[in-house]
Amino acid sequence: MTTQTVAIIGGGPAGIEAAKGVAELGFKAILIEKRDRLGGTPDEQKYAALTPDLRDTQTALRELIAPIENHPNVEIMYNTLITDAEGALGDFTLKGVQLGKEVEIKAGAVIIATGFQHFDPGRETQKYGYYEFDDVITLTDAEKMLSEGKFVRPSNGEVPKRVCFIQCVGSRDRRLGNEYCSKVCCGISSKQSIEIKKLIPDCKVFIFYIDMRMYGYWENEIYWKAQEEYKVNYIKGIATEIVRKGDKLLVKGEDTTFRRPMEVEMDVVILAVGMEPSEGTKEMARIFGLKQNKYGFIETIGGPLDTVSTNVPGVFAAGACTGPADLEDSVSAGGLAAVKAMAALRKLEAVTA
Amino acid sequence: MTTQTVAIIGGGPAGIEAAKGVAELGFKAILIEKRDRLGGTPDEQKYAALTPDLRDTQTALRELIAPIENHPNVEIMYNTLITDAEGALGDFTLKGVQLGKEVEIKAGAVIIATGFQHFDPGRETQKYGYYEFDDVITLTDAEKMLSEGKFVRPSNGEVPKRVCFIQCVGSRDRRLGNEYCSKVCCGISSKQSIEIKKLIPDCKVFIFYIDMRMYGYWENEIYWKAQEEYKVNYIKGIATEIVRKGDKLLVKGEDTTFRRPMEVEMDVVILAVGMEPSEGTKEMARIFGLKQNKYGFIETIGGPLDTVSTNVPGVFAAGACTGPADLEDSVSAGGLAAVKAMAALRKLEAVTA
């Protein structure tokens, strides 16, 4: 029995928050991360600023990580991949590989926080020419440039005069099998449009969308600001094709508000790629025998009143490994998973004492 | 010093989950509720089924509440209003009134979970005639009927043939001062439209919307289902006025997809009223000296990476008292608030030991 230890797999926002909760309440947290750094996708993909508060990502992540870095109750295992697991609540054994060496981890409960990966816009949507045109990029490509304080045309390094975002690339799309909405892309696109306008005030920025899903405070904090202060042009329309026109890109589609075809020239096109389960998420689901939904995300079993319990007692899931999630969702679920994991272990102890 | 007790104010989903977390980890939870029942707004407003899983609200709430009802670490104080508070982390004294009698509660940390109230559609939106026409109702009025297994025209008890929802009533509206999006109304309207079609298959149901904010799985679980299985008609359009026409209602506005004025007859109009801070939320902010945003919701201070900390150490806020929130947001934040409250008390103990 290992009723005082919780293993957390994945060192992004959900996993960090879960490890913190576990450690600060006196349990031991073993945080297992495949890379040599914490921070998850926001760090790995070099996000510039967070949505919605536009705070510098690295500063915010450092603050999130600081409390666990030298915490006596936290063991961080970097460069570690979990490859197998056995046991049950109170007595899990995780097997893995750390820099070529086999490792074994004992834990009473497990929190999966292995997150998502961005949709690959080459897959079945070659209509947008992501692998064909240098100036067709993704949200994450844009984040990388913005995090370096610049925004240029990748093809020639020039400052763009016209930039557009195409929403719902890899989301809300039955043909691709991804019927769900990826939840955060509208917000991130709007945030990036503000960042681009800050860098290049006379650049014209367009967002082609189906519905602008700027829920809650994103509406007033980003969407209104983007339109009113930064003059971002939101166009309800569907882009169906991108072709080359001289050294520009020609975006073809339909403006659905004016019910007419549109053809617009752009210097850079940013594809708002959606979320899919990461390889790690699919792998952990397999290893731990967790139910997955048809998209491959881990299925939580408690409906809207329980965001973290899975079909396996003692194994919880938090954040984007369960489906599209924003940062708030991820840290909140990380906290709830920590509580539920520790509570399950305490109950077990009480029963077996 | 009272470092083993957390007071939770508000017995809705966020408060219940917070109390459960506190109690199950061995701290004492004092759950303070103004009504004589737990369950919060979903119970008080007699929600029929939950969004998005359409599970019966009372069944789901009973399951949520069961673990704390007879838990030795939970004290539930019903019919109790907090009227004053003093002290600081580790040593709060809350004063209140319980059925006319003064009560005093000692706690080391406090979690505010006092939620929201629905926008009153009489306030400044009399254009929709909520107080004038019996057949103009709100989402909550509709929930009450649906929870009784019926849906009729309130004016005459007849089964309606044409029903419409008007989205964003009291939300995304600068004139009213509510620029934010209330996040859940698109989902709830879509859920209700399915429930109405289940009861009255030949009823025509329309939803007039600006953007359908069916984020994440709501897209595939409710939005597609409403359209494909239940033939709900989604119309991007703005309703500007409702007038009487015989014994029907005439909804006037603009269909923004077809760019033309619309006038449609309806038997029942449902106003998708948004969220505003509850009286309790505003009162707790005042009593505890918590920062509020311009809308009166409690402001959390940690950006997207901390959904529950307030400007007052030892006082946390969870769920819709911090802004528009769905059920997932509320229970997740309840869990995180529980962890953070207990962690703050443990740190304090370590320092003062």
Side-chain angles (χ1 to χ4, degrees):
Chain A
M1 295 271 287
T2 318
T3 56
Q4 293 296 314
T5 301
V6 179
I8 298 112
I9 305 175
I16 294 166
E17 192 61 44
K20 193 190 306 179
V22 166
E24 292 188 340
L25 293 186
F27 284 65
K28 185 174 177 195
I30 302 178
L31 180 54
I32 300 157
E33 167 56 41
K34 68 172 195 287
R35 300 190 307 138
D36 61 359
R37 298 163 57 95
L38 298 180
T41 305
D43 176 72
E44 185 177 18
Q45 301 278 337
K46 300 202 191 310
Y47 288 7
L50 297 182
T51 304
D53 67 352
L54 284 164
R55 193 146 177 252
D56 174 66
T57 299
Q58 285 302 328
T59 310
L61 283 178
R62 268 197 303 276
E63 271 178 31
L64 187 71
I65 294 166
I68 62 166
E69 270 190 318
N70 296 299
H71 198 291
N73 293 351
V74 180
E75 179 186 350
I76 306 177
M77 298 179 70
Y78 293 103
N79 304 301
T80 305
L81 270 180
I82 297 302
T83 53
D84 201 5
E86 56 190 38
L89 173 64
D91 192 19
F92 286 103
T93 302
L94 281 55
K95 291 172 186 176
V97 180
Q98 186 177 36
L99 297 174
K101 258 181 48 191
E102 285 187 12
V103 289
E104 201 175 276
I105 297 147
K106 297 263 183 202
V110 178
I111 296 171
I112 312 287
T114 39
F116 73 102
Q117 64 190 28
H118 288 282
F119 176 77
D120 176 354
R123 176 158 79 77
E124 296 186 64
T125 54
Q126 202 44 41
K127 61 181 179 183
Y128 293 142
Y130 179 68
Y131 290 107
E132 191 178 346
F133 307 126
D134 290 343
D135 293 333
V136 176
I137 64 176
T138 65
L139 282 184
T140 49
D141 299 327
E143 285 288 341
K144 280 194 195 85
M145 278 204 272
L146 291 166
S147 71
E148 292 161 10
K150 66 174 187 184
F151 193 79
V152 297
R153 297 184 66 186
S155 63
N156 59 13
E158 282 175 14
V159 171
K161 292 196 180 66
R162 294 167 64 89
V163 172
C164 80
F165 292 81
I166 297 176
Q167 298 307 115
C168 301
V169 176
S171 307
R172 305 182 67 180
D173 190 332
R174 178 168 286 159
R175 199 174 45 85
L176 294 169
N178 294 354
E179 290 95 350
Y180 56 85
C181 155
S182 289
K183 194 170 186 178
V184 303
C185 336
C186 286
I188 293 172
S189 298
S190 297
K191 181 212 71 147
Q192 288 188 357
S193 71
I194 291 174
E195 291 173 291
I196 291 168
K197 290 290 285 190
K198 278 186 178 172
L199 285 171
I200 322 167
D202 62 347
C203 180
K204 291 213 180 306
V205 178
F206 303 84
I207 298 186
F208 297 112
Y209 69 95
I210 311 178
D211 297 277
M212 277 314 291
R213 295 201 163 156
M214 305 298 287
Y215 49 80
Y217 294 140
W218 290 14
E219 172 81 10
N220 51 301
E221 288 177 8
I222 324 179
Y223 188 36
W224 290 49
K225 194 197 247 183
Q227 292 177 81
E228 297 184 349
E229 277 180 52
Y230 293 95
K231 312 298 177 197
V232 174
N233 301 290
Y234 286 85
I235 296 171
K236 188 168 166 75
I238 296 161
T240 50
E241 195 186 3
I242 296 174
V243 297
R244 201 190 308 265
K245 188 184 175 188
D247 78 331
K248 309 279 185 186
L249 298 163
L250 190 67
V251 179
K252 297 180 173 190
E254 191 198 348
D255 182 322
T256 56
T257 301
F258 293 97
R259 308 280 289 179
R260 64 185 181 200
M262 63 175 176
E263 285 198 356
V264 281
E265 270 183 33
M266 293 290 157
D267 297 316
V268 178
V269 174
I270 302 170
L271 306 178
V273 286
M275 289 189 178
E276 292 188 330
S278 68
E279 286 307 316
T281 290
K282 288 184 274 188
E283 188 62 7
M284 292 311 114
R286 188 189 63 76
I287 288 173
F288 288 94
L290 306 177
K291 271 192 199 159
Q292 292 168 271
N293 62 24
K294 62 178 281 205
Y295 313 114
F297 289 106
I298 294 168
E299 196 153 280
T300 54
I301 59 165
L305 295 178
D306 180 352
T307 51
V308 299
S309 295
T310 74
N311 59 304
V312 177
V315 179
F316 302 87
C321 66
T322 67
D326 59 26
L327 291 168
E328 290 90 335
D329 296 336
S330 296
V331 296
S332 287
L336 182 61
V339 182
K340 288 204 185 262
M342 291 183 282
L345 292 175
R346 277 181 58 95
K347 264 183 218 164
L348 183 70
E349 264 203 324
V351 170
T352 54
Chain B
M1 297 272 286
T2 318
T3 56
Q4 293 296 314
T5 302
V6 178
I8 297 111
I9 306 174
I16 294 166
E17 192 61 45
K20 193 189 306 180
V22 166
E24 292 188 342
L25 293 186
F27 284 64
K28 185 175 177 195
I30 303 177
L31 180 54
I32 301 157
E33 167 56 43
K34 69 173 194 287
R35 300 189 308 138
D36 61 359
R37 299 164 56 96
L38 297 180
T41 305
D43 176 73
E44 186 178 16
Q45 301 279 336
K46 301 199 190 313
Y47 288 7
L50 296 184
T51 305
D53 67 352
L54 284 166
R55 192 145 179 252
D56 174 66
T57 299
Q58 285 302 328
T59 310
L61 283 178
R62 267 197 302 277
E63 271 179 31
L64 187 71
I65 294 166
I68 62 166
E69 270 190 319
N70 296 299
H71 197 291
N73 293 352
V74 180
E75 180 186 348
I76 306 177
M77 298 180 70
Y78 293 103
N79 304 300
T80 305
L81 270 179
I82 297 302
T83 53
D84 201 4
E86 56 190 40
L89 172 64
D91 192 20
F92 285 103
T93 302
L94 281 56
K95 291 171 185 176
V97 180
Q98 187 177 38
L99 298 174
K101 259 181 49 190
E102 286 186 12
V103 290
E104 201 175 274
I105 297 146
K106 297 264 182 201
V110 179
I111 296 170
I112 313 287
T114 39
F116 73 101
Q117 64 190 28
H118 288 281
F119 176 76
D120 175 353
R123 176 157 79 77
E124 297 186 63
T125 55
Q126 203 44 42
K127 62 182 179 183
Y128 292 142
Y130 179 68
Y131 290 108
E132 193 177 347
F133 307 127
D134 290 344
D135 293 334
V136 176
I137 64 177
T138 65
L139 283 184
T140 49
D141 298 328
E143 285 289 341
K144 281 197 194 84
M145 279 202 275
L146 292 166
S147 71
E148 292 161 11
K150 65 173 188 183
F151 192 79
V152 297
R153 297 185 67 185
S155 64
N156 60 14
E158 283 175 12
V159 172
K161 293 197 179 64
R162 293 167 64 87
V163 173
C164 79
F165 292 81
I166 298 176
Q167 298 305 115
C168 301
V169 177
S171 306
R172 304 182 68 179
D173 190 331
R174 178 169 285 160
R175 199 172 46 83
L176 296 169
N178 293 354
E179 290 95 352
Y180 56 86
C181 155
S182 289
K183 194 169 184 178
V184 303
C185 336
C186 286
I188 294 172
S189 298
S190 297
K191 180 211 72 148
Q192 288 189 358
S193 71
I194 291 174
E195 291 174 290
I196 292 168
K197 290 290 286 190
K198 279 185 177 172
L199 285 171
I200 320 166
D202 62 348
C203 181
K204 291 212 180 306
V205 179
F206 303 83
I207 298 186
F208 297 111
Y209 70 95
I210 311 177
D211 297 278
M212 276 315 289
R213 296 201 161 154
M214 305 299 285
Y215 49 81
Y217 294 139
W218 290 14
E219 173 80 11
N220 51 301
E221 289 179 7
I222 324 177
Y223 189 37
W224 290 49
K225 193 195 248 183
Q227 292 176 81
E228 297 184 347
E229 277 182 52
Y230 293 95
K231 312 298 178 198
V232 174
N233 301 290
Y234 287 85
I235 296 170
K236 188 167 164 75
I238 296 162
T240 50
E241 194 187 2
I242 297 174
V243 297
R244 199 189 311 264
K245 187 183 175 189
D247 78 331
K248 309 278 185 188
L249 298 164
L250 190 66
V251 179
K252 298 179 172 190
E254 191 198 348
D255 182 321
T256 56
T257 301
F258 293 97
R259 308 279 290 181
R260 65 185 180 201
M262 64 175 175
E263 286 199 354
V264 281
E265 270 185 31
M266 293 290 158
D267 297 317
V268 177
V269 174
I270 302 171
L271 306 178
V273 286
M275 289 189 179
E276 291 188 330
S278 68
E279 286 306 315
T281 290
K282 289 184 272 186
E283 188 62 7
M284 292 311 114
R286 188 189 63 76
I287 288 173
F288 287 94
L290 306 177
K291 272 192 198 156
Q292 292 168 271
N293 61 23
K294 62 177 282 203
Y295 313 114
F297 289 107
I298 294 168
E299 196 154 280
T300 53
I301 59 165
L305 295 178
D306 179 353
T307 50
V308 300
S309 295
T310 73
N311 59 305
V312 178
V315 180
F316 302 87
C321 67
T322 67
D326 59 27
L327 291 168
E328 289 89 336
D329 296 337
S330 296
V331 297
S332 287
L336 182 60
V339 182
K340 287 204 185 261
M342 290 184 282
L345 292 175
R346 278 181 57 96
K347 265 184 219 165
L348 184 70
E349 264 201 326
V351 170
T352 54

